[in-house]
């Protein structure tokens, strides 16, 4: 965590999506009210004046609302799980009285979350006010742009090439090389597009960057536009991200007013106009050619490449599409230099990568780590391990295009190439941890339900193939699996991978292939024994209390929403099957795994 | 692509407001000669009128000089366009990966138990519409729902039930 100096007392409130959802607005209002009530906003002594500031997501969403109290001359103190009711005490004891409220202050485990991280791209997320251009500039914002404008565009591209930056959208194509293609395409008018259509379920880094530091993305785009020679740009943002849209809209207006965007950027003669396009809800629009079709106002259908967008893209003009995180890396590279950047990470995967850590892990949230960190470090050190004393089972990397890794892969290094070798892929960086209560067949079915629904229908392998695979999985999870189903899935998956038109279809079978590869026994249990070992597929659970394991605690009776469980103190629980709706609340909540 | 949506709505008597094209024409005029205007126009028109009913789509098609077939092609492709009336509150249940492994399927069931609606449906009283969305992007606090524009996270099925009842009773409107 870098140093941040204050001249007066500042309280920073996390107002990312998770912060707001946990009651950030109320905490902010309580703080402001408390300061005014006590006359702390204008005490006559500058160092004693208090103000609040909203910041974006700092990553540890599991503990929102998080606030940082900055007192001049002292390091920040962080409080977690803050509610409006706690505010008067914090103001009274800490801000006025000078005594930290120890019971609510962040402890060792909060800081452990950051120990292994290297936050360069996210450095200002959680520190700057995303609605304030001045605050961004105070944190060194737009310095990288000024530095770039003093270089030639070739020098900027060379710097990016030397840094070894690869596309953060998931494919991992070398960014500098991609720019060169577009730069070398003939034509005066070229387009730059920021892909903020983050549709992968389980990934939220793009949204957090835009919500937490929108100007960093705009600055990255300006650097890219200058290097490639683009005059016009679009940020294509998911409609499902209202807060991100609101903040980026404001940032665009402010940047234009201040001369960072427009006909003559900072008086340098370089021209760049940037617009926001709101998506309308289609996962396939994350594929660059589909995204371009969508900006043109069509159904978002991919088209075959070549010609690549670098040659014929938006409105048939050369276009360059990069992901949000790729753009956010650029100011870091330009300011610190390519050599410094290339020293982070592994031989072929440079820099840091942001991951969205979620699922069955203690510290869920957004993390930025150097490439090459192991899966084990990611889950057990940064993420703090598995909650409820359960056992780790698998981790799904790269969303619906990726695959799962198991206990045996915990020491796999996380970089583009190692992950592909292990059968997963970097994807956009979603990491979903699964424990022993998650059924792998169900996970495969979940992803396929998603890809099948989101398939645009243009090519037959994807349209019909995903549907056929899903039908088989639906059968297996409902106890109607047949001999030969596993082999059928494998052969369909291989064909679909080879023959689909775009990345959606080419990668849709990955979750199935990896779950079969590493958890074939679970598939077999479903098909041949009519059992779901993880007790997640309701059709394959008996809902019977096993007396040998039942500790007579009665928790299951408390959580049953339909009163199907009878239990008395000192007695075994009993489930009445005529009332049971198979909702699995009893299974999820029983600490002794005593329901089969 | 969203689930195949029936685009045929039962014949409705339109109110004078629904047939007042002032807003629609103004929005279309704003985008006159603008490349790629289809989606932003439909988004803005939908915001102004609630949903995209037959007469409205026809009006947009005349304004933009595009066939209504072309417009319906776009409307049915994207999940965020609606061709049927929607409830006063929209419940979005996140069905992303993290929410799924933490049991968000049960929350959809709770909505069904309370209001008898499944994904994409609106209840009789036009109070609630249920939408299962792929990922709200708040995976750190799974399982998550959004009601209108407010996000609620770290829910148990019973907590979600309480929230829905609060909206149903008007307690949340205060």
């Amino acid at each position: 965590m870098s140093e941040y100096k204050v001249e007066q007392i500042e309280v920073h409130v996390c107002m990312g999506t998770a912060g707001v959802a946990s009651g950030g607005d109320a905490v902010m209002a309580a703080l402001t009210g408390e300061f005014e009530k006590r006359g702390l906003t204008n005490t006559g002594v500058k160092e004693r004046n208090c103000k609040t500031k909203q910041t974006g997501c700092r990553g540890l969403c599991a503990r929102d609302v998080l606030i940082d109290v900055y007192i001049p001359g002292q390091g920040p103190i962080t409080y977690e799980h803050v509610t409006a009711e706690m505010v008067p005490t914090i103001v009274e004891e800490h801000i006025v009285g000078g005594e930290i409220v120890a019971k609510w202050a962040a402890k060792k485990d909060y800081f452990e979350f950051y120990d292994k991280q290297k936050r360069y791209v996210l450095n200002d997320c959680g520190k700057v006010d995303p609605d304030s251009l001045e605050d961004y500039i105070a944190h060194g914002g737009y310095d990288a742009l000024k530095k770039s404008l003093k270089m030639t565009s070739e020098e900027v591209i060379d710097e990016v090439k030397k840094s070894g930056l690869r596309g953060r959208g998931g494919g991992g194509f070398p960014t500098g090389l991609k720019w060169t293609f577009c730069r070398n395409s003939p034509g005066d008018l070229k387009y730059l597009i920021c892909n903020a259509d983050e549709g992968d379920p389980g990934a939220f880094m793009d949204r957090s960057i835009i919500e937490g530091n929108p100007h960093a993305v705009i600055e990255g785009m300006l650097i890219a536009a200058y290097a490639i020679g683009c005059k016009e740009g679009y940020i294509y943002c998911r409609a499902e991200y209202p807060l991100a849209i609101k903040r980026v809209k404001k940032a665009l207006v402010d940047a234009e007013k201040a001369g960072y965007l427009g006909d003559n950027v900072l008086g340098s003669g370089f021209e760049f106009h940037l617009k926001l396009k709101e998506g309308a809800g289609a996962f396939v629009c994350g594929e660059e050619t589909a995204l371009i079709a969508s900006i043109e106002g069509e159904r978002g259908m991919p088209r075959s490449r070549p010609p690549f967008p670098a040659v014929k893209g938006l409105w048939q003009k050369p276009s360059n599409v990069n992901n949000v995180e790729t753009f956010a890396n650029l100011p870091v590279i330009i300011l610190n230099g390519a050599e410094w950047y290339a020293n982070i990470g592994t031989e072929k995967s440079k820099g840091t990568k942001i991951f969205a850590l979620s699922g069955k892990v203690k510290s869920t949230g957004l993390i930025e780590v150097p490439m090459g960190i192991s899966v084990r470090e990611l889950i057990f050190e940064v993420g703090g391990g598995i909650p409820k004393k359960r056992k780790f089972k698998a981790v799904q990397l790269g969303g619906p295009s990726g695959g799962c890794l198991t206990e045996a892969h915990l020491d796999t290094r996380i970089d583009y190439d190692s992950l592909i070798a292990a059968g997963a892929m970097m994807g956009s960086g979603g990491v979903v941890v699964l424990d022993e209560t998650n059924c792998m067949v169900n996970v495969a079915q979940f992803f396929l339900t998603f890809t099948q629904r989101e398939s645009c229908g243009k090519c037959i392998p994807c349209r019909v193939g995903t549907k056929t695979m899903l039908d088989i999985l639906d059968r297996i999870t409902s106890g109607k699996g047949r001999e030969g189903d596993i082999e059928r899935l494998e052969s369909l998956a291989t064909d679909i991978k080879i023959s689909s038109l775009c990345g959606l279809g080419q990668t849709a079978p990955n979750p199935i292939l990896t779950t079969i590869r590493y958890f074939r026994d679970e598939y077999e249990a479903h098909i041949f024994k009519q059992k779901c070992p993880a007790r997640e597929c309701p059709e394959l659970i008996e809902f019977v209390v096993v007396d040998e394991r039942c500790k007579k605690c009665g928790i299951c009776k408390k959580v049953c929403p339909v009163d199907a469980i009878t239990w008395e103190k000192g007695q075994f629980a009993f489930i009445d099957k005529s009332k049971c709706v198979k909702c699995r609340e009893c299974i999820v909540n029983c600490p002794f795994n005593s329901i089969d | 692509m969203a689930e195949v949506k029936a685009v045929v709505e039962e014949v409705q008597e339109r109110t004078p407001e629904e047939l007042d094209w002032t807003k629609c024409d103004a929005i279309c005029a704003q985008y006159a000669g603008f490349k790629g205007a289809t989606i932003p126009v439909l988004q803005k028109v939908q915001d102004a009128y609630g949903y995209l009913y037959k007469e409205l789509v026809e009006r947009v098609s005349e304004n933009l000089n595009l066939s209504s077939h072309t417009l319906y092609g776009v409307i049915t492709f994207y999940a965020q366009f609606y061709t049927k009336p929607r409830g006063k509150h929209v419940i979005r249940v996140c069905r992303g990966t993290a929410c799924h492994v933490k049991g968000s399927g049960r929350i959809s069931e709770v909505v069904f138990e309370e209001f008898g609606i499944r994904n994409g449906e609106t209840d009789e009283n036009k109070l609630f519409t249920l939408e299962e969305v792929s990922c709200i992007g708040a995976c750190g606090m799974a399982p998550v729902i959004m009601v209108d524009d407010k996000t609620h996270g770290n829910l148990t099925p019973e907590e979600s039930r309480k929230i829905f009842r609060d909206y149903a009773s008007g307690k949340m409107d205060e």
Side-chain angles (χ1 to χ4, degrees):
Chain A
M1 305 294 251
S2 69
E3 282 297 299
Y4 174 77
K5 295 261 183 294
V6 293
E7 293 174 348
Q8 55 177 326
I9 298 176
E10 286 186 16
V11 181
H12 296 186
V13 182
C14 174
M15 296 283 271
T17 288
V20 173
S22 307
D25 286 320
V27 172
M28 193 80 151
L31 278 163
T32 314
E34 198 67 22
F35 291 160
E36 278 171 11
K37 196 172 81 187
R38 295 164 176 268
L40 295 172
T41 48
N42 196 355
T43 56
V45 186
K46 193 176 175 188
E47 293 77 49
R48 299 300 303 159
N49 288 346
C50 295
K51 72 165 194 182
T52 53
K53 177 169 125 177
Q54 64 159 4
T55 65
C57 173
R58 68 189 54 207
L60 195 40
C61 313
R63 303 183 184 206
D64 268 316
V65 178
L66 288 151
I67 66 169
D68 294 323
V69 177
Y70 285 87
I71 294 178
Q74 303 174 15
I77 298 296
T78 303
Y79 290 102
E80 33 187 59
H81 297 301
V82 179
T83 61
E85 291 73 46
M86 291 155 69
V87 167
T89 313
I90 293 174
V91 174
E92 172 73 32
E93 293 182 19
H94 186 175
I95 293 173
V96 179
E99 285 292 322
I100 296 167
V101 189
K103 61 181 173 183
W104 296 332
K107 316 262 182 320
K108 191 166 128 260
D109 57 356
Y110 171 85
F111 298 99
E112 279 173 359
F113 177 75
Y114 296 101
D115 273 351
K116 286 250 163 171
Q117 293 194 50
K118 289 259 186 292
R119 295 171 79 89
Y120 301 125
V121 177
L122 292 176
N123 185 32
D124 290 337
C125 275
K127 293 204 186 82
V128 299
D129 177 349
D131 281 331
S132 164
L133 172 63
E134 295 70 34
D135 203 31
Y136 180 64
I137 292 169
H139 282 75
Y142 290 109
D143 286 357
L145 172 66
K146 289 170 191 160
K147 191 174 166 183
S148 301
L149 293 174
K150 290 194 186 104
M151 299 155 76
T152 65
S153 44
E154 287 83 0
E155 283 171 340
V156 177
I157 289 198
D158 272 344
E159 197 71 8
V160 174
K161 274 187 182 163
K162 277 195 298 219
S163 75
L165 176 67
R166 293 170 68 175
R168 295 291 190 252
F173 193 81
T175 305
L177 191 61
K178 196 174 189 175
W179 290 7
T180 312
F181 295 148
C182 188
R183 185 181 160 72
N184 295 343
S185 283
D188 242 3
L189 183 57
K190 290 174 184 172
Y191 290 102
L192 181 71
I193 300 167
C194 170
N195 185 346
D197 189 66
E198 180 182 47
D200 268 22
F204 50 95
M205 61 286 294
D206 294 354
R207 191 187 70 170
S208 304
I209 295 170
I210 294 179
E211 280 177 9
N213 201 359
H215 283 285
V217 181
I218 296 172
E219 183 173 10
M221 287 188 79
L222 277 157
I223 294 166
Y226 175 72
I228 301 168
C230 302
K231 283 184 187 157
E232 286 191 36
Y234 289 96
I235 297 176
Y236 185 95
C237 188
R238 268 186 97 192
E240 288 89 339
Y241 287 177
L243 188 60
I245 286 172
K246 193 177 109 200
R247 286 185 179 162
V248 84
K249 268 185 181 163
K250 182 172 189 319
L252 285 171
V253 171
D254 293 350
E256 189 143 4
K257 266 194 205 142
Y260 292 103
L261 288 169
D263 291 335
N264 187 358
V265 172
L266 296 179
S268 66
F270 155 62
E271 176 191 346
F272 187 59
H273 299 272
L274 192 51
K275 288 196 195 88
L276 175 75
K277 271 274 181 187
E278 289 179 42
F283 173 67
V284 71
C285 288
E287 200 278 341
E288 58 179 12
T289 57
L291 189 150
I292 286 169
S294 182
I295 295 182
E296 290 172 350
E298 310 279 329
R299 292 165 72 94
M301 303 257 216
R303 55 170 180 72
S304 51
R305 301 176 301 184
F308 283 90
V311 179
K312 261 192 182 170
L314 185 62
W315 320 117
Q316 305 295 315
K317 299 272 188 272
S319 309
N320 181 81
V321 186
N322 285 130
N323 161 276
V324 173
E325 193 187 332
T326 311
F327 284 124
N329 267 278
L330 295 169
V332 178
I333 292 171
I334 297 293
L335 276 183
N336 298 293
E339 264 175 49
W340 171 87
Y341 190 87
N343 272 326
I344 309 164
T346 66
E347 189 200 349
K348 287 186 178 157
S349 303
K350 299 294 186 194
T352 57
K353 174 77 188 94
I354 302 175
F355 290 101
L357 191 57
S358 65
K360 306 291 179 66
V361 62
K362 278 181 193 152
S363 296
T364 52
L366 202 65
I367 58 178
E368 183 180 349
V369 287
M371 293 270 192
I373 192 173
S374 73
V375 179
R376 186 188 304 278
E377 288 172 294
L378 195 70
I379 297 170
F380 291 91
E381 293 182 29
V382 181
I386 318 292
K388 294 188 182 173
K389 296 192 178 133
R390 292 217 168 105
K391 265 178 56 195
F392 166 84
K393 182 179 202 171
V395 55
Q396 172 76 22
L397 290 151
S401 334
C404 67
L405 298 179
T406 66
E407 186 102 38
H409 302 93
L410 281 175
D411 295 312
T412 305
R413 283 160 51 133
I414 299 185
D415 61 57
Y416 291 100
D417 312 295
S418 311
L419 286 179
I420 285 176
M425 70 183 266
M426 185 76 81
S428 53
V431 178
V432 184
V433 182
L434 308 169
D435 69 16
E436 58 196 319
T437 63
N438 291 117
C439 163
M440 300 314 291
V441 188
N442 175 287
V443 169
Q445 179 193 25
F446 164 79
F447 280 119
L448 211 66
T449 306
F450 175 78
T451 36
Q452 189 270 322
R453 195 178 57 222
E454 294 293 341
S455 168
C456 81
K458 185 172 179 175
C459 75
I460 293 168
C462 176
R463 184 180 71 226
V464 180
T466 51
K467 181 79 183 97
T468 313
M469 287 202 294
L470 183 59
D471 287 345
I472 297 174
L473 284 171
D474 284 346
R475 261 205 347 258
I476 295 176
T477 52
S478 60
K480 300 187 185 76
R482 296 196 287 258
E483 187 157 357
D485 275 348
I486 301 178
E487 292 72 21
R488 233 186 316 270
L489 281 172
E490 284 174 322
S491 108
L492 275 165
T494 316
D495 294 346
I496 295 166
K497 270 176 89 87
I498 296 168
S499 51
S500 289
L501 168 66
C502 85
L504 190 152
Q506 289 157 9
T507 58
N510 286 351
I512 296 182
L513 287 172
T514 53
T515 48
I516 291 180
R517 185 165 149 192
Y518 300 130
F519 295 97
R520 199 179 186 101
D521 56 330
E522 284 199 29
Y523 278 85
E524 285 167 350
H526 281 70
I527 296 170
F528 300 113
K529 295 184 190 151
Q530 311 288 307
K531 275 228 176 316
C532 173
R535 294 169 308 146
E536 189 163 27
C537 302
E539 302 299 320
L540 302 177
I541 307 172
E542 288 182 48
F543 291 100
V544 175
V545 177
V546 180
D547 290 356
E548 290 81 66
R549 298 202 293 268
C550 176
K551 297 276 188 279
K552 307 175 185 175
C553 70
I555 288 177
C556 54
K557 179 180 165 60
K558 280 197 200 81
V559 298
C560 178
V562 290
D563 279 338
I565 299 183
T566 41
W567 167 84
E568 299 220 342
K569 215 169 171 158
Q571 302 289 316
F572 293 120
F574 174 77
I575 302 175
D576 178 350
K577 287 198 187 173
S578 64
K579 288 187 188 163
C580 171
V581 290
K582 300 189 172 184
C583 74
R584 296 181 56 254
E585 281 299 301
C586 52
I587 291 180
V588 172
N589 287 290
C590 172
F592 311 105
N593 288 337
S594 64
I595 299 164
D596 276 356
Chain B
M1 195 169 109
E3 316 246 342
V4 177
K5 292 183 258 192
V7 287
V8 186
E9 181 199 357
E10 288 157 37
V11 179
Q12 303 258 352
E13 283 291 314
R14 301 282 172 216
T15 61
E17 291 83 52
E18 285 179 316
L19 295 172
D20 173 359
W21 303 129
T22 323
K23 282 188 212 154
C24 171
D25 296 352
I27 292 165
C28 294
Q30 216 186 324
Y31 282 90
F34 185 92
K35 282 196 296 190
T38 322
I39 293 171
V41 165
L42 288 170
Q43 283 169 329
K44 289 206 157 66
V45 167
Q46 176 171 276
D47 280 347
Y49 289 83
Y51 72 108
L52 298 166
Y53 41 93
K54 190 164 155 275
E55 297 84 345
L56 182 60
V57 175
E58 276 164 14
R59 186 78 190 184
V60 174
S61 120
E62 285 163 29
N63 264 312
L64 295 183
N65 205 5
L66 286 168
S67 77
S68 50
H69 301 93
T70 307
L71 291 182
Y72 275 115
V74 172
I75 291 167
T76 52
F77 186 86
Y78 296 101
Q80 304 270 335
F81 291 126
Y82 313 105
T83 53
K84 289 190 180 150
R86 297 165 40 81
K88 180 179 165 192
H89 300 292
V90 179
I91 299 173
R92 292 189 176 90
V93 175
C94 181
R95 298 290 283 116
T97 318
C99 291
H100 175 77
V101 302
K102 287 193 168 180
S104 64
R106 267 295 295 151
I107 296 178
S108 291
E109 284 302 313
V110 169
V111 176
F112 182 72
E113 288 159 18
E114 292 288 307
F115 313 115
I117 49 175
R118 295 277 183 208
N119 186 19
E121 296 177 347
T122 303
D123 70 328
E124 292 167 2
N125 308 326
K126 300 258 191 306
L127 194 55
F128 291 104
T129 300
L130 172 64
E131 272 183 24
E132 292 186 343
V133 295
S134 306
C135 183
I136 287 174
C139 320
M141 42 197 308
V144 182
I145 60 169
M146 276 175 90
V147 183
D148 307 331
D149 57 359
K150 196 165 168 18
T151 312
H152 306 264
N154 296 321
L155 294 170
T156 63
E158 289 315 303
E159 283 167 349
S160 73
R161 190 185 307 273
K162 190 178 166 307
I163 291 171
F164 300 141
R165 286 183 181 176
D166 284 348
Y167 276 99
S169 65
K171 203 166 144 183
M172 291 297 219
D173 303 343
E174 290 155 18

